């Protein structure tokens, strides 16, 4: 699939901040997104060891699922090293180079991208899901395991219960219970998707587990790539 080259990969936090500022106006946040996507791609990155610092070994995976059956239609995985340091709010720049290559390895162009991370629920309203949405032009949402910014009241205990995630008086996402009595996930819009449709998609993808199947499959693929033996010479 096509991913646009809109900027070089930055070497410093200052350069990364400038890229976020330049790309943020390209976000489309007033579209509802696909109400019934046929295909959804899950994206995730795994790290060897503690994943800290530059030079950490990583694997980025993109897995395309049939949105109705949740069957895997296509997979792409790329291994490499993190070239950008860990900086809160700029974590996407550690993962984007490999994720972009994984996406380019797909023949399928999915109807929706579901990232393991944040969209506008971000200090500068430009998390990983926003960045990937702008680069691909595709509807993109973020589904995070833990909160990053904002305040919220705990949602009810039943599947589908939700509460707004707010920061500075602005709703930046939703805290969504995907299974009865389990910890919620944090859903935010990335690009060309509405929050209602994003939450509906997450529930459709999380039929039996806390995390959506897109995240689970991409996580498994990336972890397997890190532990795979290299081919014999």
């Amino acid at each position: 699939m096509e991913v646009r080259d809109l900027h070089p990969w930055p070497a410093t936090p200052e350069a990364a901040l400038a890229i976020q500022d330049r790309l943020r106006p390209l976000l489309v946040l007033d579209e509802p997104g696909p109400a019934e996507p046929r295909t959804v791609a899950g994206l995730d990155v795994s790290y060897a060891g503690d994943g800290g610092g530059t030079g950490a070994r990583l694997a980025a995976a993109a897995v395309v699922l049939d949105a109705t059956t949740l069957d895997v239609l296509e997979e792409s995985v790329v291994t490499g090293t993190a070239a950008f340091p860990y900086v809160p709010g700029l974590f996407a720049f550690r993962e984007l180079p490999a994720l972009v290559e994984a996406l380019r390895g797909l023949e399928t162009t999915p109807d929706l991208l579901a990232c393991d991370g944040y969209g506008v629920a971000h200090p500068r309203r430009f998390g990983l899901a926003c960045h990937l949405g702008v680069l691909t032009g595709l509807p993109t949402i973020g589904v995070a395991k833990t909160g990053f910014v904002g305040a919220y009241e705990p949602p009810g205990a039943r599947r589908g219960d939700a509460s707004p995630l707010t920061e500075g008086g602005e709703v930046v996402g939703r805290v969504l219970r995907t299974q009865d009595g389990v910890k919620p996930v944090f859903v935010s819009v990335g690009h060309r998707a509405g929050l209602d449709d994003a939450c509906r998609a997450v529930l459709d993808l999380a039929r039996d587990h806390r995390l959506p199947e897109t995240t689970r499959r991409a996580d498994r693929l990336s972890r397997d790539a890190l532990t795979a033996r290299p081919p014999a010479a």
Side-chain angles (χ1 to χ4, degrees):
M1 62 169 283
E2 181 180 356
V3 184
R4 297 179 289 177
D5 288 314
L6 296 182
H7 58 79
W9 298 119
T12 66
E14 293 76 17
L17 287 168
I19 289 170
Q20 287 183 337
D21 289 341
R22 180 162 61 85
L23 296 188
R24 191 183 306 106
L26 301 180
L27 287 177
V28 176
L29 301 175
D30 57 357
E31 290 186 11
E36 296 182 0
R38 295 166 298 174
T39 55
V40 184
L43 303 169
D44 198 10
V45 175
S46 294
Y47 293 85
D50 63 7
T54 57
R57 187 163 170 261
L58 58 79
V63 180
V64 182
L65 302 186
D66 181 298
T68 300
T69 65
L70 301 186
D71 291 336
V72 175
L73 302 178
E74 191 178 0
E75 297 177 339
S76 175
V77 62
V78 171
T79 58
T81 56
F84 195 83
Y86 173 73
V87 180
L90 299 177
F91 191 72
F93 290 96
R94 289 175 63 81
E95 303 193 342
L96 278 167
L99 283 172
V100 164
E101 291 309 308
L103 284 170
R104 284 176 172 157
L106 295 175
E107 295 184 5
T108 306
T109 299
D111 296 328
L112 179 69
L113 300 181
C115 302
D116 178 29
Y118 308 95
V120 295
H122 181 272
R124 285 174 294 282
R125 304 296 186 265
F126 200 78
L128 175 66
C130 298
H131 206 139
L132 276 170
V134 169
L135 292 181
T136 62
L138 297 175
T140 310
I141 62 174
V143 189
K145 304 177 186 71
T146 58
F148 181 34
V149 298
Y152 64 95
E153 294 294 330
R158 302 299 299 275
R159 170 178 161 86
D161 288 343
S163 61
L165 178 67
T166 63
E167 185 183 45
E170 177 184 0
V171 175
V172 295
R174 195 169 293 165
V175 185
L176 177 66
R177 194 86 64 185
T178 55
Q179 300 294 327
D180 291 355
V182 303
K183 293 180 180 179
V185 297
F186 295 77
V187 181
S188 55
V189 169
H191 181 63
R192 296 184 57 206
L195 192 52
D196 287 343
D197 285 324
C199 289
R200 183 161 46 249
V202 171
L203 288 173
D204 285 344
L205 293 165
R207 298 174 191 175
D208 300 310
H209 303 278
R210 174 184 177 238
L211 297 178
E213 200 62 23
T214 39
T215 300
R216 286 168 43 81
R217 298 293 182 95
D219 174 76
R220 186 180 310 154
L221 180 61
S222 62
R223 290 180 186 276
D224 288 348
L226 284 178
T227 59
R229 291 181 179 271

